[in-house]
Every structure is written in C-alpha cells, then in structure tokens.
Amino acid sequence: MRLNLKAAPVLAVLALVMLASGAARAQTTADQVVDNETLKAFVEGAKAEIEAITDINEGAKLRDRLRTEGPWKSGSMFLIIFLKSGEPFIHGNDRTAESKNLLGVEDERGKRVVEELLEAAARGGDFVEYYDGELKTAYAVEYTSGITARQFVLVGGYSQDVSHVPIQIADDLPKPAVTASQVVDRETLITFVEEAAKVYREAVESEGYSALTGIRNAFRVEGGDWKSGSIYLWVVSGAGIILFHATEPFREGKETDLTRTDINGVRFAEELIQGARREGRKFLEYYYDDPTIEGDEDTGSPKLGYAVGFSVANSEQKAVIGSGIYLAGQTNVAPISWGSLKGPRLR
C-alpha cells in the first residue's frame, strides 16, 4: 500500500490511554500513522472515542478538536466526518469543504473518491486508494452518534484540493416573513429569529442532516434573506459551544465566554443562552461593540438580543439559535434605561 506520510515519523509509537471501563488500550495517533495497519488503528480508535460522546456540548467541541494539531491531526494526516450524502460535516483541514457536496469529486484518474469512501464504510470499514499527485490510501468506517443515534462516516488519509467545487446553497427555501434587512425593531427581530429557528430545526431533523449544509450556507449569504450587515444568526449548544456562526465560522467548535460582562455588569452571553435553553426564548438588552460606530469599542452600544431554544434531533438535549439588533437610531424600539438597571432585563 502507499500513503502520503512525509510528515510521519519513520517508526510508529503506541500510546496508552485509559478507557472509561478502566482498561488500558493502545491508541494510534495521527503522527504515528505509517502504513495500512496504523491508518486503520488511527481511524478505528477515533471512531470508538467519538461514538462514546453522549453530551451535545462535548460533541460540539469536535469541530475544534479535529482541526487542532494533536492526537487527531498531524500535518497531512487528519480526520473528516462525512454525512452519508457526501458533505463533510466536520473537515479536519479545510473548513470551506464543509460548505460543499463532494460526492462527485474525482481524482486525477477519474475515480469518484468520496463515493468509494462511503461504499467502503458501508462494507464495515475498508481502504480506498486514489491518485493525487501520487498514489495515496484512505480508510473509511461508519459510526453512530451517541448523541443523536445518527450515522456518519469517519475518514482518515483523504486529502484532495476541492476548491473548484461550488458551495451548496439551499435555493428552495420559502422567503421568510421578515428578512434580515427588514429587522428594525423588537417585533421584526422576534419573527426573524423564530422563522430561522424553524428552518434550522427542520434541517437538523432532516434525514441524515441532508438539508443542513445548504441551510447553513444560505444563512451566510450577505444581502440574502438571513444575513444583512450586523443582523446575522448564530447557533450554540446549551453550554455555549458554538455550532454555527454566520459571520465568523472559525469560532465554530469553540467555547463562548459565558463570563463576559458589558459596562453594566450584564453577563450577556450567559443570560441569553441559558435563558433560552431553560425557558424556550429570551430577550436581553445589553451593550456590545457596534462595528459601524467608531469610538464605542470600550463602552459598546445598546443592543437587543433574542434567542430561541430547541431540542436536538433524537435527543432531549438543547441548542439555542439567536440574533440581535443595535438600538442606536431605531425609532420603534423602547430605549434602555441603563441608569436604573441593576441587572439584565429579560423578557
């Protein structure tokens, strides 16, 4: 077999890790992959660890963990979690690939590599050789999420330039009653977020998450129905791990700082996220830096946030989707009386 292992050491070294049962087992890390045997051990070991995750907050961290140099990523050796429809749900090396369907991607000799990887996984786990400047080998295996019971495909050893593949945007979405550019007050903010919550929840509940990639991409289009300037959407787990961010995707998989406060001591992230998780929906008035205003970096500008909680597919665990509007210059939003405010005003 042949692997692209220029960054790997000459000899693989086994590391011992403790499993939940207390028994020790040898687990191969990304930098120890040197041949078929170690490649399979690397992917199968990661599969066992990922399948054991039952908490949505730990699952949300996978996006960051797979992209960070360490046990699951070393140079050109990394992991990709595929949806069965051909989209990378989490790509350990190319964030932009998560916006695309790679099912039709061919290697330099015409092989539809991702299609064959999905077939190899369906066989119970198998190798796929492909040509990308040289002959390379990938290994794919199916796994079942311990959070949602959904099936995914985990792949190691696959690396192709997919920059030519177009971004997949859902084009069959009904136009929302209030688009991002039409959010001007409290009521339009409510309608905007409520409709986004419905659309996102339906995408999460779609068979195999088949609609999720297109919806996420639609939420990112500047000037589209779901994003306009400072009006954009975000999705977090109940503990504040970022699942989706329309303007800063590099934050996905990372923790929101729930301890942050504005100039009045309002712990805005914690109050908004936890309030929506517990009670279904929450308003929060607070101060936050408005990028369109110079000079408010230290004090922030008045902002109204609104968030909605929803259950994750096949799970009782909660996620939260939200957005917000800056109040400066808005004539239809009641002003915030900060002089008498002792804490966050939640509604």
Side-chain angles (χ1 to χ4, degrees), residues 1-325:
M1 64 84 63
R2 300 171 181 83
L3 284 171
N4 182 28
L5 300 170
K6 296 178 180 178
V10 176
L11 185 63
V13 180
L14 296 179
L16 294 179
V17 296
M18 297 302 295
L19 299 179
S21 63
R25 175 177 122 177
Q27 184 178 29
T28 304
T29 57
D31 64 329
Q32 297 165 352
V33 177
V34 295
D35 54 19
N36 270 14
E37 182 180 356
T38 50
L39 174 61
K40 180 178 179 179
F42 168 54
V43 178
E44 293 282 357
K47 169 195 169 181
E49 186 172 343
I50 293 171
E51 278 189 322
I53 296 173
T54 58
D55 180 74
I56 185 176
N57 301 297
E58 291 305 310
K61 294 177 184 178
L62 278 175
R63 182 162 269 107
D64 191 48
R65 288 181 64 190
L66 264 64
R67 291 176 180 153
T68 302
E69 289 284 325
W72 287 348
K73 186 178 190 301
S74 179
S76 61
M77 182 56 61
F78 50 84
L79 295 165
I80 305 172
I81 296 176
F82 275 97
L83 301 180
K84 287 193 170 184
S85 48
E87 296 95 346
F89 185 63
I90 302 176
H91 196 295
N93 195 57
D94 182 4
R95 183 182 293 109
T96 64
E98 296 173 2
S99 300
K100 305 173 180 183
N101 186 299
L102 306 186
L103 202 59
V105 171
E106 297 181 349
D107 71 359
E108 296 172 7
R109 296 182 176 178
K111 176 179 286 189
R112 293 166 65 100
V113 186
V114 172
E115 185 175 299
E116 293 207 11
L117 286 168
L118 299 182
E119 292 173 355
R123 294 193 296 269
D126 206 350
F127 298 96
V128 172
E129 288 191 340
Y130 64 102
Y131 200 87
D132 186 45
E134 59 183 311
L135 196 59
K136 300 179 181 179
T137 303
Y139 181 81
V141 65
E142 290 184 351
Y143 79 88
T144 302
S145 167
I147 302 170
T148 65
R150 295 281 184 87
Q151 282 198 320
F152 297 84
V153 171
L154 184 65
V155 175
Y158 173 60
S159 177
Q160 271 189 283
D161 179 7
V162 295
S163 58
H164 62 287
V165 180
I167 291 175
Q168 179 183 343
I169 298 176
D171 56 6
D172 56 350
L173 288 176
K175 193 176 187 66
V178 173
T179 65
S181 64
Q182 296 169 333
V183 176
V184 296
D185 57 22
R186 186 184 304 271
E187 296 307 314
T188 51
L189 177 62
I190 292 174
T191 302
F192 174 66
V193 176
E194 294 280 355
E195 293 206 22
K198 179 177 181 294
V199 167
Y200 195 88
R201 185 173 60 248
E202 289 176 350
V204 169
E205 292 174 352
S206 63
E207 183 68 26
Y209 292 128
S210 58
L212 187 57
T213 300
I215 297 299
R216 286 164 57 95
N217 290 340
F219 281 5
R220 295 193 198 279
V221 177
E222 177 60 39
D225 291 341
W226 306 99
K227 183 174 180 290
S228 179
S230 63
I231 308 297
Y232 59 87
L233 294 156
W234 47 262
V235 183
V236 299
S237 69
I241 313 302
I242 299 172
L243 296 166
F244 170 79
H245 198 293
T247 63
E248 297 178 337
F250 66 88
R251 296 189 183 279
E252 294 171 4
K254 300 181 182 297
E255 296 184 22
T256 299
D257 184 359
L258 298 179
T259 67
R260 285 188 302 170
T261 61
D262 71 359
I263 58 171
N264 293 284
V266 177
R267 292 170 67 126
F268 50 89
E270 179 183 40
E271 293 290 349
L272 192 58
I273 294 168
Q274 299 301 339
R277 181 183 64 83
R278 290 190 306 266
E279 302 173 35
R281 48 186 52 82
K282 277 295 181 185
F283 275 115
L284 178 65
E285 296 170 341
Y286 60 101
Y287 271 78
Y288 198 75
D289 176 30
D290 185 342
T292 66
I293 297 178
E294 293 186 8
D296 77 335
E297 291 80 9
D298 294 330
T299 61
S301 295
K303 188 172 186 178
L304 176 67
Y306 182 63
V308 175
F310 63 94
S311 296
V312 177
N314 300 332
S315 171
E316 294 302 316
Q317 300 184 59
K318 297 285 186 178
V320 174
I321 183 170
S323 187
I325 180 174

